[in-house]
Amino acid sequence: MIVQGIPSPGDGLRLHLNENTGGCSERVMEATRALTATDIATYPDYRHDVEAVGRYFGVDPDWVTLTNGLDEGIFLAAVATFGRAHDASLEAIVPVPAFDPYLTATAAVDARVVRVPPGPDFAFPADAIVAAVTPKTRLMFLNTPNNPTGQTISREALRRVIAAAPQATVVLDEAYVEFDPAGSFLDELPLFPNVVIGRTFSKAYGLAGMRIGVLIGHPKRLEAVRAVTPVFNMNTVAMTAMQAALADTRFLPAYTAAVAESRTRLYAACDRLGIPYWRSAANFVLMRVGARASAIVAALAERGVHVRDRSSDPYSPGCIRVTAGVTAHTDRAVAALESVTAAGLVETKVPR
Ligand SMILES: Cc1ncc(COP(=O)(O)O)c(C=O)c1O
């Protein structure tokens, strides 16, 4: 039987999807509980929510399109770019390793993916991206901080690669930028009419189950996306949750501080255990545990900690990705890592 969706791993700590491990703001729970039967029975009018998001990001509301998770935003950007082109030779550039939906969305609309491998230590391959641009390039997916590596893209590198492909829409995915606020390109967006910034309420805000993504870009660029966006793609419960999340100004600083402390604890554990890792600007850490990565993921799960197996990706061989959230959760992850290392599964001292 084929059933829609991704299976949940069952009991245990969910450190495999970079969610907020502490849950959402209590104000979100209060606001959603207060919804009435009529609210739920009515089709949503979320124009005032679009306006609130515009105010929050300091842009006019016509620079904003809300999407059902940034996943949908990525898909709609691909559909808007390639959907009516009927030309399978058109290209999307994707620096790898990358968030899978860039690849699946591009494939779904019959465009060609041009993968650009990273430099040493997952350095952003600006020169190689510029060299990969052709007259066929219509879309480019950039991601800072990058999932799964946690590495960032400098502003200088961003300006270069964006300028190299003026004929393309550049989707700049900032899903994790709340953990690296200085890294957001939002302040420069007005200078780059071909850029669409992607944000999400799934990570730092803890609203992954609500599915709220945001595309921010020049209204002309967003017009094509809106033309292919379902008219009621956002729902009333999610919009209520989002407004409450925006109103809780204390939530984000507290959680991002916990994430920073958790990353430090994960680095310290890796140093102690001899596991190579990459310092991350996001709420996860990529580690290289060696040839038995899949067995290690299974062994961690047996110890009640679910992490992401990245080892089948040729661009992150031998790697696992561990979410950094509430510090008590991180301590449990560290204990589980210590236990599987003691069991001799982890290949320590492998080169990064
Ligand atoms: C880089 C990146 N972009 C986008 C998303 C999707 O976020 P959403 O939950 O808003 O669909 C994720 C989620 O894991 C992600 O890692």
Side-chain angles (χ1 to χ4, degrees):
M1 188 174 50
I2 296 172
V3 180
Q4 184 184 11
I6 296 180
S8 242
D11 288 346
L13 250 185
R14 296 172 58 93
L15 304 186
H16 65 308
L17 290 180
N18 305 334
E19 296 154 339
N20 183 318
T21 74
C24 65
S25 156
E26 192 45 45
R27 290 182 64 167
V28 168
M29 297 313 297
E30 284 162 19
T32 50
R33 277 192 206 106
L35 284 165
T36 66
T38 306
D39 291 332
I40 301 295
T42 311
Y43 279 109
D45 174 357
Y46 42 85
R47 285 170 305 171
H48 60 287
D49 301 304
V50 174
E51 284 166 13
V53 169
R55 275 195 301 281
Y56 182 67
F57 287 115
V59 297
D60 284 339
D62 56 348
W63 283 63
V64 171
T65 297
L66 295 181
T67 60
N68 203 268
L70 185 49
D71 272 349
E72 187 191 50
I74 291 162
F75 183 71
L76 293 173
V79 173
T81 307
F82 299 115
R84 294 187 192 132
H86 305 295
D87 179 353
S89 71
L90 296 180
E91 296 169 347
I93 292 182
V94 181
V96 285
F99 183 52
D100 277 346
Y102 307 152
L103 309 171
T104 49
T106 304
V109 287
D110 269 343
R112 244 168 56 75
V113 177
V114 177
R115 290 174 173 76
V116 181
D121 277 325
F122 299 116
F124 182 68
D127 291 339
I129 292 173
V130 170
V133 173
T134 75
K136 298 269 187 192
T137 307
R138 293 299 146 77
L139 190 59
M140 191 187 289
F141 287 107
L142 304 178
N143 179 205
T144 186
N146 172 275
N147 175 13
T149 69
Q151 304 308 296
T152 58
I153 310 175
S154 75
R155 279 177 186 257
E156 188 270 328
L158 277 176
R159 291 185 203 116
R160 268 188 63 211
V161 298
I162 292 164
Q167 76 282 18
T169 297
V170 177
V171 174
L172 177 55
D173 182 336
E174 295 188 345
Y176 298 97
V177 87
E178 289 84 6
F179 304 108
D180 175 40
S184 176
F185 201 60
L186 195 54
D187 55 343
E188 293 198 38
L189 188 61
L191 303 174
F192 296 94
N194 63 327
V195 175
V196 174
I197 289 183
R199 303 285 288 257
T200 178
F201 283 83
S202 293
K203 307 299 179 182
Y205 297 90
L207 300 181
M210 292 287 179
R211 316 304 302 126
I212 310 164
V214 187
L215 296 179
I216 311 167
H218 194 282
K220 272 250 154 292
R221 193 60 53 164
L222 286 186
E223 219 172 77
V225 174
R226 289 204 193 101
V228 294
T229 304
V231 58
F232 292 122
N233 68 328
M234 309 305 292
N235 72 77
T236 302
V237 185
M239 293 296 87
T240 304
M242 183 188 78
Q243 292 277 8
L246 290 178
D248 188 349
T249 52
R250 291 207 199 133
F251 183 80
L252 216 56
Y255 190 64
T256 54
V259 166
E261 171 60 23
S262 280
R263 281 189 316 231
T264 304
R265 292 187 194 186
L266 286 171
Y267 302 156
C270 287
D271 285 336
R272 244 186 354 263
L273 299 170
I275 301 172
Y277 63 94
W278 289 266
R279 284 181 174 267
S280 165
N283 65 337
F284 52 81
V285 176
L286 189 72
M287 308 171 184
R288 179 155 285 149
V289 292
R292 280 167 296 185
S294 299
I296 290 161
V297 170
L300 289 170
E302 273 168 29
R303 290 158 176 81
V305 178
H306 302 289
V307 304
R308 180 68 187 270
D309 185 355
R310 289 287 324 187
S311 64
S312 63
D313 184 333
Y315 298 100
S316 52
C319 287
I320 62 172
R321 191 194 64 203
V322 182
T323 301
V326 171
T327 51
H329 297 161
T330 305
D331 292 343
R332 277 170 62 192
V334 166
L337 262 177
E338 279 164 352
S339 162
V340 298
T341 308
L345 279 171
V346 177
E347 229 177 285
T348 56
K349 311 273 186 319
V350 287
R352 279 216 310 203

